[in-house]
Structures are given as C-alpha cells and as structure tokens.
C-alpha cells in the first residue's frame, strides 16, 4: 500500500499550580496510566504520547506550538484531571492548528463510595474541569471532537480510534497531489470545481498532463517487466481462459500491465497519490486504462473517472482514513425498482477497486462499447455485504458540500453473466426513494467515494476540521427536514465561508 507517515497523538493533561506538588504528582501518574492503558488497547491503532501536565498559560502555549511544529503529530488529546482555569488556554488554543479531541473522562470509573474524602474531590475534578475547558473552546469557536466515557471502556477506544483515523486523513490529506490526464469529460458539470478553493481548503493540488506524457512512459516499459507483472496477476487473480494462453486476449492483459507499470512510475516521479483519466482523450493509447487503474487503487491511489479530480482526491483521502481497506471509486449505475427489493447497482466502465471485492477478482477482456479503442482488460468481482457510505464532494460555486449517504451493501445473488465489470449492490438509507431524492436535492454526484470502513460520523468530523458543509442521508432522514437543513445551511455557510 502507498505509504502513509506514522502519525502519533499527544495526550495533554491540564491542571494548575494551585493544588500543590503532591496532587500534581498524582495527576501526572494517573494521566500516564491512562496513556499506557490506551496504548495497550488493540482497538487503538495509533501511538499516543504522554506530555507533561500543563499548569499555566506558557506551558499550554508551548505544547500547542510544539504540536503544530511536529510533523508526526496528527492531533492532541486534551483532558482536565483537575480544574484548569481556561483563560490560561486562550493563547495556546488560539494558535493550535492540529486536530483536537477533548477526552471527557475521569481516572476512576466508579464513585468510591466508602473512601471518598476531600482529598479525592480535590484531585478528581474532570466533571467540572472539563466543562470549564469546554466553555473556552466553545467561546473561541474552536473545532474539536468531544468523546465522553471512562478510558477503559471499549466503546470509547473505538471512538478515539475513529477520530484518530480522521485526524490522520486531515493532516496527511494536505499532501494529496492529483495528476489528471487531460481535462474532465466534455460538457459534464458536477465533476468541475474550483481548484484554487480546494487547494486553500483541503490542500490538494491538481496538475494536468497530456495523455502523451503517459504514452511516452508506456513505450519505455520492457517486456521483461510486463512478464514479471503477469506472474503477479496469475498469483492474485483468476484469468479468463483465453488470457491464459498466448494470443490477442493475453496481449490485451499485457497491455494493461504495461500501462500499470508506466502509470505507477509516472505518479511516483511526481509524488502523485491520486489521478484521473478521460476516455475521450486517449491519443496514442491502445486501451482505456482499466485493470491498470484498479491495480493502482488497490495499492491506495485515489482515482476518478472522466477527469473527476475531486472524487479522485476524496477516494485517496478515504483510503488514508480506512488504511486502504474496503474503499473505492464508484458510480451509481442502475436501479432495481422491484417492490420490496429496491437496490442500487454501483459500478463503472471498468474502474472499481478490488479492496471492495468479496470474491477473487477475475481478469477478462471485453468490449467497452464507448470510445473507439481496443477492448480493455479489467478485474471483475462482486462487492461485499455490510454497512457502507457513498460520499460526494460538490462545488456549489463559492463553497463546497460533502454529501454522505449511509447504505447497506447487499450480496450479489444473481450471476450477471453478460455484465463484464465489477459490481456492488446496496440499499441506501432510509430507502431508495428517500435516499435518492435527498441525494439529488443536495446535488450529489453520480461519482462517489464508496467505503465499508469510513463512516458518516467520521466524514462529518473531517468536514468540520476543514470547515466544509456536510450533510448525511441516513436512517432518520425525511425530505421536508432535509430540504430545510439545506436551506438553513446555505445561510450558515454564507456567514461562515
Ligand atoms: Mn463515470
């Protein structure tokens, strides 16, 4: 998988000098125990680093400043073991530019009914100390996630880890570089967008190249390189019968292998982690990249078809957040309107990522029926069963909106013998009727980033970090409220651009 830096998180405990040395010593011991405890949990995949207790404005400023300047720090976790007068936090929080999780916990789980005395009360003050701290964050309008619960609770670990994935996506996301071969598909509206605005808000850069740049790279690939990649294909995937012997079908697969090697080389040279293609602009290419694109997505690259660079960036971002598990470029392809069994079939011309496959993908070569190039090789498979999200980032002119639909991945029970592309089936929440109505009302695209791993809460937290509007279409969505939400949001975002 495309490498992501090893990020860590800082655990910052707030207090003040007023309590005296003995209490502060205990504060430090307890918070270290919490950090050790969290680090030992299997559900927490990132390392937490314990920081010395902060007791005054200067120490708070310094730790925030250090966090900003530490390339490996993806965020800070704040907790007030005791009361920590929050005016002391103003200077530090005002410069903090890393994500913040306010962990509202306390050291003891239960009230020690038999032994509780005033010493205990002076030491264990999170219930009110965290409220004082919460106020200053609210007063300053600081973005932060609040997680409530005892630090040994497994649910809490899950919540913290989910936020850490979001923070990692946010911090690493600023390094996303998208290479696009030519422009987006002619006349298409939803794949357009303001690249400068995206660079400002999300940090993504998007550079255009001529398809000739890729063709040049394809021509340099040697047949030895292709043969050794073919061996990998043979190990990892089923290959259609005609592709197992030398001939035109096998040559088609070899051509995609060539494109894969060339594309990877091209992207690596420029540090690109996402890319787009466009079937309308393929001068000098023998096939539309299909299998090649799927292989790169499987490795963690973001992708968008038809020049859709916003979706390419979003797929890459969600691959970072999901650690490249169960996440793909997707398109709403067709509906099953059968009463009681309504579903969406998601697919694309070719480019669905094998990380969403439930079975062993099969390589086949079939006509594309669009464009005028040779039949491309592609991986064919069925999608998984389980909860998932479809997410779409659209440009409304002056601002962006992230639209998220919670969906349920369904088993692909029918064979679809004549459909030569990977396919995923799902039912959107709350139903196909309401889900699709809300999606269209919000202006959601036909292209999405689809994930079984990233959830709607994470995407909303992410949008919060960026300062983007996010709307969720889920179990409780009804059209009247949703439509009002869009109207109210439009006023909010007019004021908070
Ligand atoms: Mn498409």
């Amino acid at each position: 998988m495309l490498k992501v830096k090893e990020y860590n998180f800082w655990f910052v405990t707030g207090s003040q000098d007023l309590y005296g040395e003995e209490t502060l010593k205990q504060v430090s011991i307890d918070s270290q125990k919490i950090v050790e405890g969290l680090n030992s949990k299997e559900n927490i995949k990132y390392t937490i680093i314990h920081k010395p207790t902060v007791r005054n404005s200067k120490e708070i400023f310094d730790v925030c400043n250090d966090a900003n300047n530490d390339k490996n720090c993806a965020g800070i976790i704040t907790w007030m073991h005791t009361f920590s007068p929050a005016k002391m936090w103003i200077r530090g929080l005002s410069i903090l530019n890393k994500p913040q999780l306010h962990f509202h916990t306390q050291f003891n789980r239960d009230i020690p009914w038999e032994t509780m005395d005033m010493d205990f009360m002076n030491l264990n003050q999170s219930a009110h100390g965290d409220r004082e701290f919460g106020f200053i964050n609210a007063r300053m309008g600081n973005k932060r996630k609040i997680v409530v619960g005892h630090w040994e609770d497994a649910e809490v670990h899950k919540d913290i880890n989910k936020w850490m994935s979001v923070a990692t996506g946010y911090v690493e996301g600023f390094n996303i570089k998208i290479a696009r071969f030519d422009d987006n598909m002619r006349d298409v509206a939803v794949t357009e967008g303001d690249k400068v605005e995206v660079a400002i808000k999300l940090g993504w850069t998007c550079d255009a190249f001529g398809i000739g740049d890729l063709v040049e790279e394809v021509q340099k690939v040697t047949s030895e390189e292709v043969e050794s990649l073919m061996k990998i294909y043979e190990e990892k995937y089923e290959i259609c019968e005609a592709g197992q012997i030398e001939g035109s079908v096998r040559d088609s697969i070899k051509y995609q292998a060539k494109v894969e090697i060339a594309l990877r080389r091209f992207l690596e040279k420029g540090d690109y982690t996402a890319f787009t293609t466009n079937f309308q602009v393929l001068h000098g290419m023998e096939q539309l990249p299909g299998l090649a694109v799927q292989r790169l997505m499987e490795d963690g690259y973001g992708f968008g078809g038809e020049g859709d660079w916003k979706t390419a960036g979003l797929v890459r971002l969600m691959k970072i957040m999901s650690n490249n598990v169960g996440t793909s470029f997707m398109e709403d392809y067709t509906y099953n309107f059968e009463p009681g069994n309504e579903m969406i079939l998601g697919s694309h011309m070719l480019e669905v990522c094998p990380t969403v496959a439930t079975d062993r993908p099969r390589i086949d070569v079939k006509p594309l029926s669009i464009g005028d190039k040779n039949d491309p090789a592609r991986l064919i498979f069925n999608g998984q069963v389980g909860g998932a999200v479809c997410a779409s980032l659209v440009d409304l002119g002056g601002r962006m909106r992230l639209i998220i639909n919670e969906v349920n991945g369904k088993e692909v029970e029918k064979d679809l013998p004549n459909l030569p592309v990977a396919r995923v089936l799902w039912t959107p929440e709350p139903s196909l009727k309401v889900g699709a109505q809300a999606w269209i009302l919000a202006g959601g695209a036909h292209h999405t980033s689809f994930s079984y791993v990233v959830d709607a809460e994470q995407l909303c937290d992410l949008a919060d970090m960026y300062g983007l509007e996010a709307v969720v279409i889920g179990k409780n969505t009804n059209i009247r409220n949703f439509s009002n939400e869009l109207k109210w949001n439009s006023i909010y975002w007019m004021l908070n651009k």
Side-chain angles (χ1 to χ4, degrees):
M1 136 101 166
L2 206 50
K3 240 180 119 58
V4 172
K5 204 192 304 173
E6 291 272 323
Y7 286 102
N8 54 50
F9 292 84
W10 292 9
F11 194 93
V12 178
T13 309
S15 188
Q16 61 177 324
D17 279 321
L18 196 75
Y19 296 100
E21 216 157 284
E22 206 174 311
T23 301
L24 285 172
K25 213 168 139 192
Q26 197 57 45
V27 165
S28 177
I29 290 168
D30 291 350
S31 74
Q32 277 180 64
K33 267 190 200 153
I34 292 179
V35 171
E36 279 162 26
L38 295 177
N39 276 329
S40 72
K41 300 297 184 280
E42 215 175 283
N43 279 342
I44 294 184
K45 314 275 186 210
Y46 302 85
T47 304
I48 303 172
I49 295 172
H50 179 264
K51 290 283 158 184
T53 310
V54 288
R55 299 162 303 174
N56 52 55
S57 185
K58 189 190 175 299
E59 288 175 358
I60 292 165
F61 179 85
D62 286 346
V63 79
C64 291
N65 196 32
D66 291 350
N68 286 348
N69 292 309
D70 187 306
K71 285 198 179 90
N72 294 96
C73 173
I76 70 167
I77 300 171
T78 47
W79 172 55
M80 307 302 117
H81 191 328
T82 63
F83 204 76
S84 178
K87 285 182 192 166
M88 301 189 318
W89 284 85
I90 294 172
R91 233 184 118 223
L93 291 176
S94 70
I95 58 140
L96 182 69
N97 63 21
K98 294 283 168 82
Q100 183 198 167
L101 182 141
H102 179 189
F103 187 22
H104 185 43
T105 189
Q106 67 183 14
F107 187 67
N108 52 301
R109 192 192 70 177
D110 302 339
I111 293 177
W113 305 101
E114 303 298 326
T115 58
M116 188 160 62
D117 57 11
M118 283 318 287
D119 284 346
F120 178 90
M121 295 287 270
N122 275 330
L123 174 66
N124 296 286
Q125 300 185 317
S126 319
H128 56 282
D130 271 335
R131 281 175 159 76
E132 162 75 357
F133 180 68
F135 165 74
I136 205 64
N137 269 315
R139 168 69 207 267
M140 295 173 72
N142 293 333
K143 292 162 189 162
R144 81 279 199 210
K145 175 82 176 173
I146 302 163
V147 170
V148 180
H150 191 249
W151 56 277
E152 283 181 306
D153 176 10
E155 278 293 308
V156 163
H157 305 150
K158 231 173 85 188
D159 289 344
I160 293 176
N161 192 68
K162 272 173 61 177
W163 172 83
M164 287 169 152
S165 304
V166 177
T168 298
Y170 172 78
V171 173
E172 178 70 22
F174 284 97
N175 301 321
I176 291 177
K177 281 183 74 181
I178 306 158
R180 57 200 309 239
F181 293 102
D182 208 82
D183 204 338
N184 51 347
M185 186 179 163
R186 289 167 207 138
D187 290 327
V188 175
V190 77
T191 56
E192 286 287 0
D194 182 340
K195 294 192 207 75
V196 178
E197 184 67 13
V198 168
I200 293 168
K201 277 266 156 67
L202 310 175
W204 305 351
T205 53
C206 183
D207 299 331
F209 293 93
I211 193 71
D213 295 322
L214 179 59
V215 171
E216 213 170 83
E217 203 69 59
V218 170
Q219 284 161 352
K220 286 187 213 152
V221 177
T222 66
S223 53
E224 290 76 36
E225 288 173 321
V226 169
E227 288 310 324
S228 72
L229 186 53
M230 287 296 283
K231 286 205 183 84
I232 293 172
Y233 290 174
E234 276 160 354
E235 280 163 27
K236 277 195 90 166
Y237 316 109
E238 305 272 323
I239 295 186
C240 62
E241 220 169 291
Q244 294 174 20
I245 46 164
E246 293 303 328
S248 66
V249 169
R250 195 168 172 89
D251 286 346
S252 278
I253 302 171
K254 285 183 187 173
Y255 182 72
Q256 289 283 339
K258 228 173 168 178
V259 175
E260 177 188 332
I261 294 163
L263 250 173
R264 193 184 300 273
R265 216 162 261 167
F266 184 90
L267 296 171
E268 278 173 0
K269 259 190 232 165
D271 281 331
Y272 292 101
T273 51
F275 65 104
T276 68
T277 56
N278 182 344
F279 68 90
Q280 289 173 321
V281 188
L282 291 173
H283 313 286
M285 295 287 288
E286 289 171 24
Q287 303 172 18
L288 173 67
L291 171 60
V293 170
Q294 293 175 294
R295 289 270 306 156
L296 286 166
M297 260 198 282
E298 191 177 24
D299 254 2
Y301 285 89
F303 173 77
E306 294 97 55
D308 188 350
W309 56 275
K310 295 200 303 302
T311 305
L314 188 60
V315 170
R316 171 59 188 153
L317 186 57
M318 287 168 69
K319 279 181 171 290
I320 297 166
M321 291 165 70
S322 64
N323 201 23
N324 196 27
V325 180
T327 301
S328 177
F329 171 65
M330 191 62 67
E331 178 166 318
D332 296 80
Y333 237 62
T334 197
Y335 292 145
N336 192 48
F337 269 137
E338 179 191 352
N341 192 29
E342 291 90 349
M343 285 182 287
I344 297 178
L345 186 145
S347 187
H348 204 255
M349 279 192 283
L350 301 167
E351 313 91 334
V352 180
C353 176
T355 62
V356 301
T358 191
D359 45 6
R360 190 168 186 232
R362 179 169 53 90
I363 297 178
D364 210 338
V365 176
K366 298 277 182 189
L368 196 56
S369 314
I370 191 165
D372 54 1
K373 295 290 169 178
N374 296 346
D375 300 350
R378 80 287 307 273
L379 288 163
I380 304 172
F381 53 83
N382 291 330
Q384 298 158 15
V385 175
V389 289
C390 294
S392 163
L393 183 66
V394 297
D395 188 325
L396 296 175
R399 71 184 180 90
M400 285 174 284
R401 172 182 286 160
L402 182 66
I403 300 139
I404 304 146
N405 193 182
E406 294 179 313
V407 305
N408 298 298
K410 297 281 225 192
E411 193 184 335
V412 184
E413 287 170 345
K414 310 272 191 209
D415 266 352
L416 295 154
N418 297 316
L419 181 75
V421 285
R423 72 298 295 249
V424 180
L425 276 181
W426 67 82
T427 51
E429 293 286 2
S431 63
L432 175 54
K433 244 182 178 169
V434 178
Q437 195 182 346
W439 185 272
I440 290 169
L441 198 59
H446 56 293
H447 285 166
T448 61
S449 175
F450 180 94
S451 178
Y452 291 101
V453 176
V454 176
D455 69 16
E457 184 189 355
Q458 287 178 298
L459 289 170
C460 288
D461 288 344
L462 182 75
D464 252 2
M465 289 177 191
Y466 287 125
L468 288 184
E469 178 189 13
V471 289
V472 177
I473 302 160
K475 265 195 181 65
N476 300 318
T477 297
N478 76 64
I479 291 300
R480 190 180 299 172
N481 290 350
F482 187 75
S483 159
N484 281 333
E485 182 183 343
L486 296 178
K487 288 176 194 157
W488 296 326
N489 285 3
S490 69
I491 303 295
Y492 174 87
W493 289 103
M494 208 181 282
L495 300 169
N496 294 280
K497 242 169 135 179

